[in-house]
Amino acid sequence: MQIERLLRIVDILMHKKTCTAKELADIFHVSTKTIYRDMDTLTIAQIPIITTKGKNGGISILEDYKIDKSLVTQEEQNSLIMGLQALKDLNYVDIDITLTKLKNVFNKSYDSLIEIDFAYWDSHGNLQQIFKDIKKSLLNGQKLKISYCDISNNKSERIILPLKLLFKQKEWYLSAFCELKNDYRIFNILRINNVSIINESFVKTLYKAPKTKLPFTVNKGKSEIKLLIDKKMKDRVYQEFEKESITVNEDGDYCIKYKAVLNDWFYSYILSYGTNIKILEPESLKEAIRNKVNLLMEHYN
DNA sequence: AACTTGTCACTCGTGTCACC
DNA sequence: GGTGACACGAGTGACAAGTT
């Protein structure tokens, strides 16, 4: 009888800010003295009961207590909420209600702590749409038709069964089963030029992509690059390159050593630094940029 | 004034044990 | 198995004191 009352008191205090002993006594048809004795018992049981004397006083439970000490640790609460938040960002159906409930139970607000957007900061409308379609097909288990351009610049039309989005080495990839190759493939999102959802679904559980080993293509076709970047570009340098590939020269300029695929996208990237960059290696990259600049100049002759 | 805290004496219900 | 004595915890009421 006492145990049952104690449990109900804890439950009441968790949902109500403050309750007087008189109110609790009325609920359980016992005297206030009995309620105060119950409070002693709960305190001995390490439930953080707070009593406030005087007008507007009463009995309450420590705000942070809620469920954390008995069932879920602080860290587990954070993981749970953030995991659900990530699912919400993926437009996962019905997650909103669950998320709101848990936030209330844990008495937490994570609204501004994490936001997942799969597109790039300044991505154009087409890329946004590609991500949108990929997300949709992933959730609904629908096939996709894509136009893909591989690292050797070979263009192809493929029907793929999307399985997983991957973020590796600052780039997004899509793990999928490719009907053209009749095998599992990983596609660099930036190389997907066009995408359309096919009204044909598949059972995701029947397809298990092999463990992701990204070096498979990441370094394929890449060349060693050595760049000298003006110190004025500090923000971009630290944002766009791995720390390990940056060396600061005595004059403050940055020497960058890393591997990249020499293609049109990369040439445009180099040109985006304007006169704040010098190519030290390789010679083929210097030559390619010279050609680009010459072509550009022809437009203004 | 409205509330909590602490003490004391008391009743009530329940479990245990010895006895018939 | 039924009964009575006893111990013990839960609950009560009254009161004074302290706090806001």
Side-chain angles (χ1 to χ4, degrees):
Chain A
M1 195 173 174
Q2 194 199 15
I3 291 291
E4 194 183 323
R5 190 175 61 243
L6 291 174
L7 288 172
R8 281 193 60 200
I9 287 174
V10 171
D11 186 50
I12 288 168
L13 293 178
M14 277 194 180
H15 292 91
K16 225 177 158 187
K17 242 186 168 177
T18 308
C19 219
T20 64
K22 175 81 173 61
E23 284 174 317
L24 290 172
D26 288 344
I27 292 169
F28 297 105
H29 305 291
V30 293
S31 71
T32 53
K33 180 70 199 146
T34 301
I35 297 298
Y36 290 129
R37 230 184 248 174
D38 287 345
M39 294 307 114
D40 291 342
T41 310
L42 289 174
T43 304
I44 289 166
Q46 298 196 346
I47 309 255
I49 297 292
I50 298 168
T51 52
T52 318
K53 291 179 180 179
K55 205 170 181 180
N56 299 320
I59 302 161
S60 57
I61 210 159
L62 192 68
E63 197 61 22
D64 281 349
Y65 180 69
K66 303 291 175 186
I67 280 179
D68 56 345
K69 293 211 169 162
S70 51
L71 290 176
V72 188
T73 66
Q74 196 75 23
E75 207 175 320
E76 286 166 339
Q77 285 178 34
N78 292 342
S79 304
L80 260 175
I81 297 285
M82 287 189 181
L84 288 173
Q85 188 80 49
L87 280 176
K88 189 189 167 194
D89 289 328
L90 272 166
N91 302 329
Y92 202 83
V93 199
D94 292 342
I95 212 71
D96 239 357
I97 300 163
T98 314
L99 194 56
T100 309
K101 275 185 188 170
L102 277 180
K103 279 177 181 173
N104 287 339
V105 169
F106 296 148
N107 198 27
K108 296 196 181 275
S109 168
Y110 288 85
D111 285 343
S112 56
L113 284 185
I114 193 169
E115 182 183 323
I116 296 176
D117 185 351
F118 292 99
Y120 294 83
W121 281 108
D122 52 353
S123 56
H124 50 80
N126 187 38
L127 188 58
Q128 296 269 21
Q129 189 58 44
I130 287 172
F131 268 106
K132 214 172 164 186
D133 287 344
I134 290 172
K135 272 159 60 176
K136 197 174 168 190
S137 63
L138 268 170
L139 289 170
N140 299 333
Q142 286 172 296
K143 291 184 184 178
L144 282 175
K145 185 179 177 184
I146 61 165
S147 302
Y148 192 68
C149 179
D150 67 17
I151 50 170
S152 311
N153 242 359
N154 297 319
K155 288 171 185 159
S156 58
E157 297 276 327
R158 303 167 186 235
I159 304 287
I160 61 165
L161 288 62
L163 302 171
K164 198 195 289 181
L165 265 174
L166 308 166
F167 186 73
K168 294 269 185 183
Q169 295 186 3
K170 296 186 176 181
E171 291 199 27
W172 282 104
Y173 297 87
L174 175 62
S175 169
F177 183 83
C178 176
E179 288 192 346
L180 181 73
K181 303 288 180 186
N182 199 29
D183 200 0
Y184 297 94
R185 288 285 185 273
I186 293 188
F187 301 96
N188 185 324
I189 301 286
L190 277 180
R191 293 179 175 280
I192 298 176
N193 299 317
N194 230 323
V195 66
S196 54
I197 300 173
I198 298 174
N199 205 8
E200 205 178 317
S201 52
F202 66 97
V203 184
K204 245 197 258 179
T205 48
L206 296 178
Y207 296 87
K208 270 208 163 159
K211 278 224 162 183
T212 318
K213 285 183 184 167
L214 264 197
F216 61 100
T217 57
V218 161
N219 289 321
K220 195 178 165 188
K222 286 189 171 179
S223 311
E224 285 277 358
I225 312 286
K226 203 171 168 186
L227 306 167
L228 184 68
I229 300 179
D230 193 288
K231 51 182 172 286
K232 281 188 284 185
M233 296 283 115
K234 184 183 175 183
D235 288 349
R236 274 192 72 178
V237 167
Y238 283 105
Q239 191 179 325
E240 294 166 10
F241 299 98
E242 298 287 343
K243 246 186 176 174
E244 301 77 49
S245 58
I246 306 170
T247 314
V248 186
N249 291 346
E250 279 182 9
D251 58 2
D253 289 344
Y254 300 98
C255 184
I256 312 293
K257 262 184 181 179
Y258 79 120
K259 285 185 171 183
V261 178
L262 305 184
N263 57 15
D264 279 349
W265 180 86
F266 187 70
Y267 302 147
S268 304
Y269 173 76
I270 293 289
L271 289 169
S272 73
Y273 273 87
T275 55
N276 297 308
I277 196 167
K278 269 186 190 169
I279 299 155
L280 304 178
E281 288 173 20
E283 203 53 47
S284 58
L285 178 57
K286 286 185 193 175
E287 178 67 26
I289 295 296
R290 265 198 299 272
N291 290 338
K292 285 274 172 194
V293 173
N294 287 335
L295 275 172
L296 195 64
M297 284 176 70
E298 279 176 23
H299 284 277
Y300 301 100
N301 281 337

